[in-house]
């Protein structure tokens, strides 16, 4: 570099500085969660990219919802390897739909372009159902009636699947309740063609909402 005044007189050149040109990592590839997937409040992200010089890379994950942006960072991985990051429980996401994108940064601090943008929806699942009857160790007829309920943290309507198991833990019958309000008691029974022979059995249940179907 040299300077010139209004009389076109030039200064001496400066001492030369050395610069190094390096290519950035490729724009990251998004792997998980798949676009438009329904996920838990602590989703796991999986991404990868390559660096033209084989440098190790880390990823900056940008998650957006309603104008709010959260940024998370992975550990360094080798060029071409998948990196994973799970949102910690103390930073669990609220229920709703989010967009996310990623950029990579290599060991020299050179950043890639942003990836494409994908979306996901966070859903808080219903609580484990409460088994009301029959009680533990109850004696029942061969076509017992089961009463239970489940609550959804956001008030979504729920379905409950009841499973009857033999002593070895094999599932013999599955019965799904109609969709009911969160916290509403519901009953289901085995049909005559599902009648159980004398013996000892177990029953359990799992609840789902509309996002889990």
């Amino acid at each position: 570099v040299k300077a010139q005044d209004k009389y076109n007189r030039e200064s001496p050149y400066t001492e030369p500085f050395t610069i190094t040109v390096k290519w950035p990592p490729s724009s990251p590839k998004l792997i998980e969660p798949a676009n438009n997937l329904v996920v838990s409040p602590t989703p796991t992200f999986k991404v990868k990219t390559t660096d033209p010089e084989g440098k190790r890379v880390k990823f900056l994950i940008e998650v957006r919802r309603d104008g709010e942006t959260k940024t998370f960072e992975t550990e360094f991985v080798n060029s071409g390897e998948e990196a994973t990051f799970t949102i910690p429980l103390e930073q669990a996401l609220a229920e709703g739909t989010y967009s996310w994108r990623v950029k990579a940064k290599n060991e020299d601090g050179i950043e890639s372009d942003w990836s494409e943008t994908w979306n996901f929806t966070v859903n808080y699942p219903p609580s484990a159902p409460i088994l009301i009857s029959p009680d533990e160790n109850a004696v029942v007829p061969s076509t017992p009636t089961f009463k239970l309920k489940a609550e959804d943290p956001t008030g979504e309507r729920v379905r409950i699947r009841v499973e009857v198991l033999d002593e070895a833990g094999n599932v013999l019958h599955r019965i799904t309740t109609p969709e009911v309000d969160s916290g509403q008691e519901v009953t289901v029974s085995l049909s005559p063609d599902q009648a159980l022979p004398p013996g000892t059995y177990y029953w359990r249940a799992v609840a789902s909402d509309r996002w889990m179907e």
Side-chain angles (χ1 to χ4, degrees):
V1 178
K2 63 180 179 180
Q4 188 178 64
D5 64 17
K6 67 178 181 177
Y7 300 109
N8 295 323
R9 292 178 297 181
E10 296 182 344
S11 71
Y13 277 101
T14 64
E15 289 296 317
F17 279 14
T18 300
I19 59 173
T20 301
V21 175
K22 293 188 176 183
W23 291 102
S26 300
S27 177
K29 177 182 178 182
L30 308 184
I31 302 173
E32 293 179 4
N35 198 20
N36 298 317
L37 191 70
V38 177
V39 301
S40 76
T42 55
T44 295
F45 299 92
K46 185 179 292 185
V47 296
K48 71 175 181 179
T49 194
T50 56
D51 184 88
E53 296 183 354
K55 298 281 188 180
R56 285 164 57 82
V57 293
K58 64 181 178 179
F59 298 88
L60 305 177
I61 303 169
E62 184 182 87
V63 177
R64 291 183 176 183
R65 175 176 179 256
D66 296 336
E68 180 184 1
T69 300
K70 294 185 178 184
T71 303
F72 306 96
E73 188 173 297
T74 73
E75 300 291 335
F76 276 101
V77 297
N78 293 328
S79 173
E81 287 186 357
E82 293 181 357
T84 60
F85 178 83
T86 301
I87 292 181
L89 187 59
E90 62 272 16
Q91 294 178 283
L93 302 176
E95 196 163 71
T97 298
Y98 294 79
S99 65
W100 68 291
R101 63 178 185 168
V102 179
K103 67 178 175 180
K105 180 186 286 188
N106 68 16
E107 293 172 300
D108 295 328
I110 301 174
E111 296 183 350
S112 72
D113 292 332
W114 284 104
S115 69
E116 63 181 321
T117 298
W118 281 5
N119 299 310
F120 63 85
T121 298
V122 171
N123 174 55
Y124 279 72
S127 59
I130 297 173
L131 308 183
I132 300 172
S133 67
D135 293 331
E136 174 72 355
N137 295 318
V139 177
V140 298
S142 61
T143 55
T145 294
F146 304 98
K147 182 185 291 186
L148 64 171
K149 66 180 180 179
E151 295 185 358
D152 185 273
T154 56
E156 294 274 359
R157 287 168 63 83
V158 297
R159 283 189 174 92
I160 307 174
R161 186 177 74 241
V162 176
E163 296 182 343
V164 179
L165 302 85
D166 63 19
E167 287 190 282
N170 301 307
V171 177
L172 303 177
H173 301 293
R174 291 185 174 94
I175 319 165
T176 301
T177 72
E179 191 177 78
V180 297
D181 291 336
S182 172
Q184 178 181 334
E185 290 186 7
V186 62
T187 60
V188 291
S189 302
L190 291 184
S191 61
D193 62 350
Q194 295 173 317
L196 301 171
T200 300
Y201 300 89
Y202 305 96
W203 72 290
R204 64 186 182 186
V206 62
S208 63
D209 61 18
R210 66 188 177 95
W211 297 102
M212 301 169 66
E213 295 171 358

